[in-house]
Amino acid sequence: MLSKLIRKKQPALNSELIKRKELSQLEQLPSHISIIMDGNGRWATKRTLPRIAGHYEGMKTVKKITKFANEIGIKTLSLYAFSTENWRRPKKEVDYLMRLPEELLGKYLPELIEQNVRVTMIGNHELLPEHTKRAITNAIEETLHNDGLILNFAFNYGSRDEIVQSVKQIVNKVQQGSISSDEITEELVSSHLMTNELTEPDLLIRTSGEIRLSNFMLWQLAYTEFWFTDTLWPDFDESCLMDAIESYQKRNRKYGGLKQEEVN
Ligand code: IPE
Ligand code: IPE
Ligand code: MG
């Protein structure tokens, strides 16, 4: 079993982290955090393990970060887990990634329910194998009435695909006459995206040192604060999340306008 190959201690929250967690409550927390979870393959390769060992370890990080984000009061956590471009990887790796929702949402579901977490998904699910779809649908249904953290997985998600689908839906409505082209506004476009029930991300995190979006939430990230780290996703922990949140809390979000004190 992979779990036996990988020995990594998971320390309990230390007193410094508990203090940072408490201090963060005094300032505005990001309501929605999105994470591009990257670097699983490199984490494994560095240890001469197969890449899939990195994905397994990355799944453990998902559990840890979900629990912590919920505890500090984050409302939505969006996790980029499989992109529409990730099908280009070797079949063996893709097959393993398609098994992860069962592995994660199957065994971990009782814990998610206990933590009052609601699971949602964005992405094109039609092309997924039946067993993957089943695991995802089951987790969504079983957690539908939970009102704690929204754990939103982006699985077989691509922002360009999402935008194309939304344009098609809007064009259909115009052609059928249920809306006129004058009614096409930013709000209308947003309401046709897969994220239509979510707020826009306040903070985007990408791990592993890559500084790009890789087709993730191109529309939704228009005014999001970005935070990048060299840490590989399996090594990401609560204190890394606190680093990102503390950085966010020092940002000056202006949305193109000016703060009162800047006006002269
Ligand atoms: C992110 O880790 C997980 C997925 C994209 C599924 P990678 O598998 O991209 O890891 P690296 O970038 O090759 O290290
Ligand atoms: C982005 O990571 C997709 C996910 C994290 C699921 P990739 O590793 O696929 O992105 P690129 O290929 O480095 O841009
Ligand atoms: Mg990668």
Side-chain angles (χ1 to χ4, degrees):
M1 265 306 287
L2 283 174
S3 51
K4 292 214 178 102
L5 280 171
I6 303 160
R7 287 199 180 78
K8 185 168 165 256
K9 21 178 197 4
Q10 301 229 335
L13 295 194
N14 59 33
S15 58
E16 194 211 322
L17 194 56
I18 293 169
K19 197 166 166 211
R20 288 172 77 188
K21 190 175 153 187
E22 283 166 8
L23 280 175
S24 74
Q25 307 292 315
L26 305 173
E27 310 264 342
Q28 179 97 34
L29 279 168
S31 170
H32 182 171
I33 299 180
S34 278
I35 307 183
I36 302 176
M37 310 183 286
D38 200 10
N40 293 350
R42 277 163 284 170
W43 184 93
T45 306
K46 262 171 58 182
R47 290 163 176 76
T48 62
L49 291 170
R51 288 179 56 85
I52 58 170
H55 296 312
Y56 182 83
E57 197 65 20
M59 185 180 68
K60 296 203 303 212
T61 307
V62 168
K63 293 184 191 175
K64 187 165 63 183
I65 293 303
T66 299
K67 185 164 183 280
F68 188 69
N70 197 15
E71 278 170 19
I72 58 178
I74 304 302
K75 303 278 178 251
T76 308
L77 180 66
S78 287
L79 301 177
Y80 201 11
F82 191 91
S83 77
T84 45
E85 289 73 38
N86 286 147
W87 296 104
R88 294 175 187 155
R89 296 190 179 196
K91 185 174 181 306
K92 191 176 143 233
E93 183 170 345
V94 169
D95 285 350
Y96 186 79
L97 289 166
M98 290 298 145
R99 287 274 165 209
L100 276 187
E102 282 154 283
E103 184 72 27
L104 178 76
L105 298 170
K107 286 189 201 147
Y108 182 44
L109 195 58
E111 248 180 90
L112 287 174
I113 293 172
E114 199 187 298
Q115 291 167 26
N116 195 23
V117 169
R118 180 176 170 200
V119 176
T120 61
M121 293 272 166
I122 53 172
N124 184 341
H125 293 167
E126 274 161 41
L127 297 172
L128 297 178
E130 273 311 314
H131 62 90
T132 315
K133 262 194 265 189
R134 222 177 305 124
I136 292 172
T137 311
N138 184 52
I140 293 173
E141 284 172 2
E142 293 288 326
T143 61
L144 193 61
H145 302 293
N146 291 352
D147 58 6
L149 176 85
I150 296 175
L151 177 60
N152 177 46
F153 283 102
F155 200 85
N156 195 20
Y157 173 84
S159 190
R160 289 184 173 179
D161 173 59
E162 175 187 41
I163 292 169
V164 168
Q165 299 311 323
S166 124
V167 170
K168 281 186 185 161
Q169 287 171 26
I170 294 169
V171 168
N172 273 339
K173 287 185 184 172
V174 173
Q175 281 174 342
Q176 286 161 11
S178 62
I179 57 166
S180 77
S181 60
D182 292 341
E183 288 174 85
I184 303 175
T185 58
E186 290 186 12
E187 288 70 28
L188 186 96
V189 174
S190 292
S191 74
H192 286 79
L193 297 176
M194 293 163 179
T195 48
N196 61 1
E197 288 183 0
L198 306 174
T199 58
E200 286 178 358
D202 299 294
L203 173 63
L204 171 87
I205 296 171
R206 183 168 186 152
T207 59
S208 88
E210 308 302 342
I211 321 261
R212 56 176 171 265
L213 291 179
S214 304
N215 203 8
F216 188 56
M217 292 196 178
L218 304 179
W219 172 282
Q220 296 87 339
L221 297 173
Y223 270 104
T224 301
E225 298 296 328
F226 288 9
W227 190 83
F228 297 98
T229 174
D230 287 341
T231 303
L232 304 174
W233 177 247
D235 292 327
F236 192 87
D237 62 9
E238 295 90 345
S239 99
C240 298
L241 187 67
M242 281 314 308
D243 289 345
I245 291 173
E246 286 163 3
S247 167
Y248 171 85
Q249 290 181 322
K250 293 191 193 102
R251 308 279 177 99
N252 182 12
R253 300 188 81 185
K254 295 162 66 173
Y255 303 96
L258 291 175
K259 289 277 158 75
Q260 193 55 46
E261 61 275 16
E262 292 172 311
V263 179
N264 58 28

